[in-house]
Amino acid sequence: MLPNIIFIGFMGSGKSSVGRHVAGMTGHRFLDTDDLVSQKAKQDIPSIFAAHGEEYFRDLETGCLKDLVGICGVVLATGGGLILREENRALLKKIGVTVWLDAEPDVIFERVSRNSRRPLLATENPRETFDRLRQARLPTYEAASDFRVDSTGLTHAQAAKCAIEGIRRTLNSRPRG
Ligand code: S3P
């Protein structure tokens, strides 16, 4: 049985869509930290940010991850900023193998521009905010992941296949014990 598979990456990188495909291909159950946080708070993400601010949202994310330690057979899509806390990165290591899903910035920005669900991009110049946040987070995605999948030009199904191949490679390269 494959381990838990975690997707990290910037907003709009396709973590939920590709994650659902991977769940379908592996028989794992699909979970999404944004959904878990919303269920915990009984509010959608923009309302949590508006009513309580980002730190409160981040605390809820950490709480959800703590609840997941020990779980088996899941694909977990994570909110784009979840990896910012060192505590969360340590929790991810306990939970499963981590895939950084990435794509060219223009492709990702086009996707996130299609809706207004992302409070962090509700600024005067969303593209400038997007570029600044993405640039600042790149090293953390790299450090927090076991490997990267570039989904530029790939369908969700193709990206899912690349992710599963990467998981198998990662497991084969790990010392057994
Ligand atoms: C965030 C990404 C969002 C959501 C929240 C904050 C971020 O999730 O968790 O709006 O800090 O990048 P997606 O990556 O699923 O859009």
Side-chain angles (χ1 to χ4, degrees):
M1 166 118 157
L2 285 174
N4 296 320
I5 301 165
I6 302 160
F7 283 94
I8 64 170
F10 204 72
M11 306 172 227
S13 58
K15 292 161 292 184
S16 302
S17 308
V18 176
R20 279 180 209 283
H21 268 273
V22 170
M25 291 161 80
T26 56
H28 278 16
R29 184 156 61 104
F30 177 76
L31 295 174
D32 186 316
T33 59
D34 282 346
D35 295 341
L36 297 173
V37 164
S38 292
Q39 284 161 19
K40 229 183 193 8
K42 299 187 177 61
Q43 269 180 318
D44 63 23
I45 307 286
S47 306
I48 299 171
F49 270 78
H52 307 285
E54 183 172 348
E55 273 312 292
Y56 180 83
F57 171 79
R58 300 290 173 208
D59 288 341
L60 291 175
E61 281 188 319
T62 302
C64 288
L65 280 190
K66 285 182 178 164
D67 293 344
L68 292 174
V69 173
I71 202 168
C72 290
V74 300
V75 173
L76 179 68
T78 60
L82 181 137
I83 42 76
L84 294 174
R85 283 192 178 178
E86 194 182 343
E87 182 181 13
N88 292 353
R89 298 197 293 275
L91 286 164
L92 290 182
K93 282 199 195 321
K94 287 189 186 164
I95 295 170
V97 177
T98 300
V99 187
W100 170 20
L101 195 59
D102 198 19
E104 279 171 12
D106 287 348
V107 172
I108 302 184
F109 186 71
E110 202 274 317
R111 289 185 199 152
V112 293
S113 306
R114 284 189 222 141
N115 67 60
S116 55
R117 283 197 312 260
R118 269 93 176 193
L120 291 181
L121 295 179
T123 62
E124 259 178 39
N125 186 343
R127 181 65 204 232
E128 186 274 326
T129 310
F130 169 92
D131 285 332
R132 186 170 37 76
L133 277 180
R134 184 171 179 277
Q135 212 51 43
R137 289 178 180 180
L138 286 179
T140 314
Y141 291 129
E142 164 111 60
S145 56
D146 289 292
F147 63 96
R148 171 176 175 268
V149 169
D150 183 345
S151 71
T152 309
L154 300 185
T155 63
H156 292 147
Q158 287 168 332
K161 200 164 160 269
C162 289
I164 292 173
E165 283 164 7
I167 299 283
R168 293 197 197 283
R169 268 198 309 276
T170 301
L171 295 177
N172 286 337
S173 67
R174 280 184 180 173
R176 287 167 208 280

